[in-house]
Amino acid sequence: MKSRAAVAFKAGEPLQIIEIDVAPPQPGEVLIRITHTGVCHTDAFTLSGDDPEGIFPVVLGHEGAGIVVECGAGVTSVKPGDHVIPLYTAECGQCLFCKSGKTNLCTAVRATQGKGVMPDGTTRFSYDGKPLYHYMGCSTFSEYTVVAEVSLAKVSPEANHEQVCLLGCGVTTGLGAVKNTAKVQPGDTVAVFGLGGIGLAVIQGAKLAKAGRIIAIDTNPSKFDLARTFGATDCVNPKDHEQPIQQVIVEMTGWGVDHSFECIGNVNVMRAALECAHRGWGQSVIIGVAGSGQEISTRPFQLVTGRRWLGTAFGGVKGRSELPGMVEDAMAGKIQLAPFVTHTMGLADINRAFELMHAGKSIRSVINF
Ligand code: NAD
Ligand code: AHE
Ligand code: ZN
């Protein structure tokens, strides 16, 4: 079938809005009509050419919501008409990782996903007879996409797709990082570096966890109002200070924070986030994705004296088990999604979504197909 899609033909170039061909779902696969997709910084990261797994030409996008159109042979957990959120972290329930009870990092389709192909090693997308690659097992920048059954969370048909698409990545990642990875407790002190969709979701999660002080840090002070709305008690712009930001945070708190979160993808800030954690027990969660060749460093003494360095993918959330409940929570007003949607636009304007992100003017742009 034909599908309108935004295709990344080359790293660093704008997406091209074209009509592509989408082949039918194979066994264990599902054809989805995407209704909405958010644009996450990770899409921009891969488009920039910095992603070691980046492969072109590709249909990017991984923060979507849609409706099942057709199921391949053997698919049992969804049927045409079901409302779904595609998952870049699958949940098969069968692999070593799913069964461990320790992680959400399912391996069922991860190897082929990272190569931009479906589990059988081929693509369902093509243009002019030549294959286009899939992205993160989702490719939500196409009106029609094919994903593995294990990469689909079935959610309430009553949900507002313009908002719940953000549970496909940004908001779930931030909330989950607080609850599952850091396990923030009432009264804990938290520092959040980077106030985009991820950092603001961390602040919302910290508020829900009844954290005490929530320190929001960004070099763009236009993010501070929304951070305060979500529950930040202090807002700090590193540019307003001569000392390194970790020193500023330690001085503000006495010994540092119980939990810090890096929501930027900058290895220098990752170091600062670790070093502003409390002596003896403070922990720092890396959420940001850093470019090819980048490495983190600190004095080992920082760890010897009790700080812990952690990381999280999709907030540790198991999508098929947990997203339906999170969608219900959003519908019940227990999770706020509306404030994240600062811009909406049609697919034809998707390059503007990237421009707004790079200019620091948006939190999330949501594409309405
Ligand atoms: P974003 O671009 O919307 O927000 C980033 C924020 O960081 C901006 O507000 C920017 O002003 C701020 N910033 C940049 N440099 C800074 C600095 N030196 N000090 C302080 N603030 C600074 O991005 P986003 O969509 O919120 O994504 C954030 C990061 O999280 C990206 O690296 C993305 O790839 C990653 N991510 C990871 C996961 C995961 O599962 N681990 C999931 C989603 C996104
Ligand atoms: N492909 C990159 C890594 C990218 C990355 O770390 N992705 C995060 C999700 S970002 C969502 O916006 C993630 O979930 N990672 C775990 C995984 O299995 O991909 C690289 O460095 O190769
Ligand atoms: Zn994302």
Side-chain angles (χ1 to χ4, degrees), residues 265-285:
N266 177 321
V267 292
N268 298 316
V269 180
M270 290 174 189
R271 176 176 193 154
L274 185 270
E275 294 180 356
C276 78
H278 203 291
R279 184 177 188 277
W281 64 75
Q283 54 183 18
S284 186
V285 181

PDB file of all heavy atoms in Angstrom, residues 265-285:
ATOM      1  N   GLY A 265      22.211  14.359  27.257  1.00  0.00           N
ATOM      2  CA  GLY A 265      23.053  13.596  26.336  1.00  0.00           C
ATOM      3  C   GLY A 265      24.438  14.222  26.212  1.00  0.00           C
ATOM      4  O   GLY A 265      25.131  14.014  25.223  1.00  0.00           O
ATOM      5  N   ASN A 266      24.852  14.983  27.253  1.00  0.00           N
ATOM      6  CA  ASN A 266      26.136  15.679  27.250  1.00  0.00           C
ATOM      7  C   ASN A 266      27.035  15.029  28.322  1.00  0.00           C
ATOM      8  O   ASN A 266      26.717  15.060  29.519  1.00  0.00           O
ATOM      9  CB  ASN A 266      25.874  17.162  27.563  1.00  0.00           C
ATOM     10  CG  ASN A 266      27.135  17.984  27.661  1.00  0.00           C
ATOM     11  OD1 ASN A 266      28.143  17.525  28.192  1.00  0.00           O
ATOM     12  ND2 ASN A 266      27.070  19.203  27.167  1.00  0.00           N
ATOM     13  N   VAL A 267      28.149  14.443  27.883  1.00  0.00           N
ATOM     14  CA  VAL A 267      28.967  13.665  28.830  1.00  0.00           C
ATOM     15  C   VAL A 267      29.588  14.542  29.923  1.00  0.00           C
ATOM     16  O   VAL A 267      29.850  14.063  31.027  1.00  0.00           O
ATOM     17  CB  VAL A 267      30.054  12.825  28.114  1.00  0.00           C
ATOM     18  CG1 VAL A 267      29.412  11.714  27.288  1.00  0.00           C
ATOM     19  CG2 VAL A 267      30.958  13.689  27.249  1.00  0.00           C
ATOM     20  N   ASN A 268      29.809  15.826  29.647  1.00  0.00           N
ATOM     21  CA  ASN A 268      30.321  16.718  30.701  1.00  0.00           C
ATOM     22  C   ASN A 268      29.262  16.957  31.766  1.00  0.00           C
ATOM     23  O   ASN A 268      29.561  17.015  32.966  1.00  0.00           O
ATOM     24  CB  ASN A 268      30.774  18.055  30.099  1.00  0.00           C
ATOM     25  CG  ASN A 268      31.905  17.854  29.111  1.00  0.00           C
ATOM     26  OD1 ASN A 268      32.828  17.092  29.383  1.00  0.00           O
ATOM     27  ND2 ASN A 268      31.816  18.495  27.965  1.00  0.00           N
ATOM     28  N   VAL A 269      28.006  17.088  31.315  1.00  0.00           N
ATOM     29  CA  VAL A 269      26.916  17.276  32.279  1.00  0.00           C
ATOM     30  C   VAL A 269      26.671  15.970  33.050  1.00  0.00           C
ATOM     31  O   VAL A 269      26.336  15.994  34.238  1.00  0.00           O
ATOM     32  CB  VAL A 269      25.630  17.781  31.586  1.00  0.00           C
ATOM     33  CG1 VAL A 269      24.519  17.968  32.602  1.00  0.00           C
ATOM     34  CG2 VAL A 269      25.901  19.090  30.846  1.00  0.00           C
ATOM     35  N   MET A 270      26.889  14.841  32.392  1.00  0.00           N
ATOM     36  CA  MET A 270      26.747  13.552  33.107  1.00  0.00           C
ATOM     37  C   MET A 270      27.719  13.517  34.290  1.00  0.00           C
ATOM     38  O   MET A 270      27.379  13.079  35.385  1.00  0.00           O
ATOM     39  CB  MET A 270      27.010  12.375  32.158  1.00  0.00           C
ATOM     40  CG  MET A 270      25.907  12.200  31.119  1.00  0.00           C
ATOM     41  SD  MET A 270      26.299  10.942  29.902  1.00  0.00           S
ATOM     42  CE  MET A 270      24.961  11.191  28.720  1.00  0.00           C
ATOM     43  N   ARG A 271      28.945  14.004  34.060  1.00  0.00           N
ATOM     44  CA  ARG A 271      29.931  14.050  35.135  1.00  0.00           C
ATOM     45  C   ARG A 271      29.460  14.996  36.247  1.00  0.00           C
ATOM     46  O   ARG A 271      29.516  14.654  37.441  1.00  0.00           O
ATOM     47  CB  ARG A 271      31.278  14.515  34.581  1.00  0.00           C
ATOM     48  CG  ARG A 271      32.311  14.662  35.659  1.00  0.00           C
ATOM     49  CD  ARG A 271      33.683  15.039  35.111  1.00  0.00           C
ATOM     50  NE  ARG A 271      34.663  14.865  36.171  1.00  0.00           N
ATOM     51  CZ  ARG A 271      35.950  14.622  35.982  1.00  0.00           C
ATOM     52  NH1 ARG A 271      36.420  14.538  34.766  1.00  0.00           N
ATOM     53  NH2 ARG A 271      36.767  14.470  37.009  1.00  0.00           N
ATOM     54  N   ALA A 272      28.980  16.167  35.853  1.00  0.00           N
ATOM     55  CA  ALA A 272      28.506  17.137  36.850  1.00  0.00           C
ATOM     56  C   ALA A 272      27.352  16.545  37.657  1.00  0.00           C
ATOM     57  O   ALA A 272      27.274  16.721  38.886  1.00  0.00           O
ATOM     58  CB  ALA A 272      28.069  18.428  36.155  1.00  0.00           C
ATOM     59  N   ALA A 273      26.465  15.826  36.967  1.00  0.00           N
ATOM     60  CA  ALA A 273      25.296  15.255  37.646  1.00  0.00           C
ATOM     61  C   ALA A 273      25.742  14.208  38.678  1.00  0.00           C
ATOM     62  O   ALA A 273      25.201  14.138  39.781  1.00  0.00           O
ATOM     63  CB  ALA A 273      24.346  14.638  36.621  1.00  0.00           C
ATOM     64  N   LEU A 274      26.752  13.419  38.325  1.00  0.00           N
ATOM     65  CA  LEU A 274      27.267  12.415  39.279  1.00  0.00           C
ATOM     66  C   LEU A 274      27.915  13.121  40.471  1.00  0.00           C
ATOM     67  O   LEU A 274      27.701  12.753  41.630  1.00  0.00           O
ATOM     68  CB  LEU A 274      28.271  11.512  38.557  1.00  0.00           C
ATOM     69  CG  LEU A 274      28.896  10.297  39.230  1.00  0.00           C
ATOM     70  CD1 LEU A 274      30.179  10.594  39.960  1.00  0.00           C
ATOM     71  CD2 LEU A 274      27.939   9.543  40.154  1.00  0.00           C
ATOM     72  N   GLU A 275      28.669  14.169  40.169  1.00  0.00           N
ATOM     73  CA  GLU A 275      29.470  14.806  41.211  1.00  0.00           C
ATOM     74  C   GLU A 275      28.652  15.718  42.127  1.00  0.00           C
ATOM     75  O   GLU A 275      29.170  16.168  43.155  1.00  0.00           O
ATOM     76  CB  GLU A 275      30.652  15.546  40.560  1.00  0.00           C
ATOM     77  CG  GLU A 275      31.618  14.548  39.905  1.00  0.00           C
ATOM     78  CD  GLU A 275      32.828  15.184  39.237  1.00  0.00           C
ATOM     79  OE1 GLU A 275      32.919  16.432  39.197  1.00  0.00           O
ATOM     80  OE2 GLU A 275      33.677  14.413  38.737  1.00  0.00           O
ATOM     81  N   CYS A 276      27.397  15.987  41.770  1.00  0.00           N
ATOM     82  CA  CYS A 276      26.545  16.761  42.693  1.00  0.00           C
ATOM     83  C   CYS A 276      25.684  15.831  43.545  1.00  0.00           C
ATOM     84  O   CYS A 276      24.820  16.284  44.297  1.00  0.00           O
ATOM     85  CB  CYS A 276      25.685  17.792  41.965  1.00  0.00           C
ATOM     86  SG  CYS A 276      24.231  17.128  41.158  1.00  0.00           S
ATOM     87  N   ALA A 277      25.911  14.509  43.408  1.00  0.00           N
ATOM     88  CA  ALA A 277      25.158  13.547  44.228  1.00  0.00           C
ATOM     89  C   ALA A 277      25.762  13.475  45.634  1.00  0.00           C
ATOM     90  O   ALA A 277      26.960  13.672  45.821  1.00  0.00           O
ATOM     91  CB  ALA A 277      25.169  12.168  43.567  1.00  0.00           C
ATOM     92  N   HIS A 278      24.946  13.199  46.592  1.00  0.00           N
ATOM     93  CA  HIS A 278      25.307  13.217  48.019  1.00  0.00           C
ATOM     94  C   HIS A 278      26.422  12.236  48.345  1.00  0.00           C
ATOM     95  O   HIS A 278      26.386  11.068  47.930  1.00  0.00           O
ATOM     96  CB  HIS A 278      24.066  12.846  48.842  1.00  0.00           C
ATOM     97  CG  HIS A 278      24.084  13.331  50.253  1.00  0.00           C
ATOM     98  ND1 HIS A 278      24.940  12.827  51.199  1.00  0.00           N
ATOM     99  CD2 HIS A 278      23.337  14.276  50.862  1.00  0.00           C
ATOM    100  CE1 HIS A 278      24.716  13.436  52.345  1.00  0.00           C
ATOM    101  NE2 HIS A 278      23.744  14.330  52.170  1.00  0.00           N
ATOM    102  N   ARG A 279      27.399  12.678  49.084  1.00  0.00           N
ATOM    103  CA  ARG A 279      28.449  11.785  49.589  1.00  0.00           C
ATOM    104  C   ARG A 279      27.798  10.641  50.375  1.00  0.00           C
ATOM    105  O   ARG A 279      26.876  10.870  51.151  1.00  0.00           O
ATOM    106  CB  ARG A 279      29.387  12.590  50.500  1.00  0.00           C
ATOM    107  CG  ARG A 279      30.569  11.832  51.027  1.00  0.00           C
ATOM    108  CD  ARG A 279      31.445  12.782  51.844  1.00  0.00           C
ATOM    109  NE  ARG A 279      32.696  12.152  52.228  1.00  0.00           N
ATOM    110  CZ  ARG A 279      32.833  11.354  53.278  1.00  0.00           C
ATOM    111  NH1 ARG A 279      31.810  11.099  54.061  1.00  0.00           N
ATOM    112  NH2 ARG A 279      34.006  10.809  53.556  1.00  0.00           N
ATOM    113  N   GLY A 280      28.246   9.420  50.101  1.00  0.00           N
ATOM    114  CA  GLY A 280      27.769   8.280  50.896  1.00  0.00           C
ATOM    115  C   GLY A 280      26.618   7.510  50.270  1.00  0.00           C
ATOM    116  O   GLY A 280      26.579   6.288  50.392  1.00  0.00           O
ATOM    117  N   TRP A 281      25.675   8.234  49.604  1.00  0.00           N
ATOM    118  CA  TRP A 281      24.524   7.490  49.056  1.00  0.00           C
ATOM    119  C   TRP A 281      23.891   8.088  47.801  1.00  0.00           C
ATOM    120  O   TRP A 281      22.998   7.485  47.214  1.00  0.00           O
ATOM    121  CB  TRP A 281      23.435   7.329  50.116  1.00  0.00           C
ATOM    122  CG  TRP A 281      22.826   8.635  50.571  1.00  0.00           C
ATOM    123  CD1 TRP A 281      21.934   9.405  49.880  1.00  0.00           C
ATOM    124  CD2 TRP A 281      23.052   9.315  51.806  1.00  0.00           C
ATOM    125  NE1 TRP A 281      21.597  10.518  50.600  1.00  0.00           N
ATOM    126  CE2 TRP A 281      22.269  10.486  51.803  1.00  0.00           C
ATOM    127  CE3 TRP A 281      23.845   9.042  52.935  1.00  0.00           C
ATOM    128  CZ2 TRP A 281      22.246  11.396  52.873  1.00  0.00           C
ATOM    129  CZ3 TRP A 281      23.822   9.945  53.998  1.00  0.00           C
ATOM    130  CH2 TRP A 281      23.037  11.104  53.959  1.00  0.00           C
ATOM    131  N   GLY A 282      24.336   9.258  47.399  1.00  0.00           N
ATOM    132  CA  GLY A 282      23.674   9.909  46.258  1.00  0.00           C
ATOM    133  C   GLY A 282      23.830   9.098  44.980  1.00  0.00           C
ATOM    134  O   GLY A 282      24.852   8.446  44.766  1.00  0.00           O
ATOM    135  N   GLN A 283      22.818   9.122  44.138  1.00  0.00           N
ATOM    136  CA  GLN A 283      22.928   8.387  42.877  1.00  0.00           C
ATOM    137  C   GLN A 283      22.531   9.270  41.706  1.00  0.00           C
ATOM    138  O   GLN A 283      21.741  10.202  41.846  1.00  0.00           O
ATOM    139  CB  GLN A 283      22.091   7.113  42.909  1.00  0.00           C
ATOM    140  CG  GLN A 283      20.642   7.338  43.262  1.00  0.00           C
ATOM    141  CD  GLN A 283      19.890   6.014  43.354  1.00  0.00           C
ATOM    142  OE1 GLN A 283      20.507   4.944  43.476  1.00  0.00           O
ATOM    143  NE2 GLN A 283      18.575   6.073  43.288  1.00  0.00           N
ATOM    144  N   SER A 284      23.114   8.959  40.553  1.00  0.00           N
ATOM    145  CA  SER A 284      22.880   9.765  39.355  1.00  0.00           C
ATOM    146  C   SER A 284      22.430   8.857  38.226  1.00  0.00           C
ATOM    147  O   SER A 284      23.075   7.846  37.947  1.00  0.00           O
ATOM    148  CB  SER A 284      24.165  10.489  38.968  1.00  0.00           C
ATOM    149  OG  SER A 284      23.890  11.360  37.898  1.00  0.00           O
ATOM    150  N   VAL A 285      21.338   9.220  37.583  1.00  0.00           N
ATOM    151  CA  VAL A 285      20.761   8.389  36.517  1.00  0.00           C
ATOM    152  C   VAL A 285      21.025   9.052  35.172  1.00  0.00           C
ATOM    153  O   VAL A 285      20.600  10.188  34.937  1.00  0.00           O
ATOM    154  CB  VAL A 285      19.241   8.207  36.720  1.00  0.00           C
ATOM    155  CG1 VAL A 285      18.669   7.328  35.611  1.00  0.00           C
ATOM    156  CG2 VAL A 285      18.943   7.619  38.098  1.00  0.00           C
TER     157      VAL A 285
END
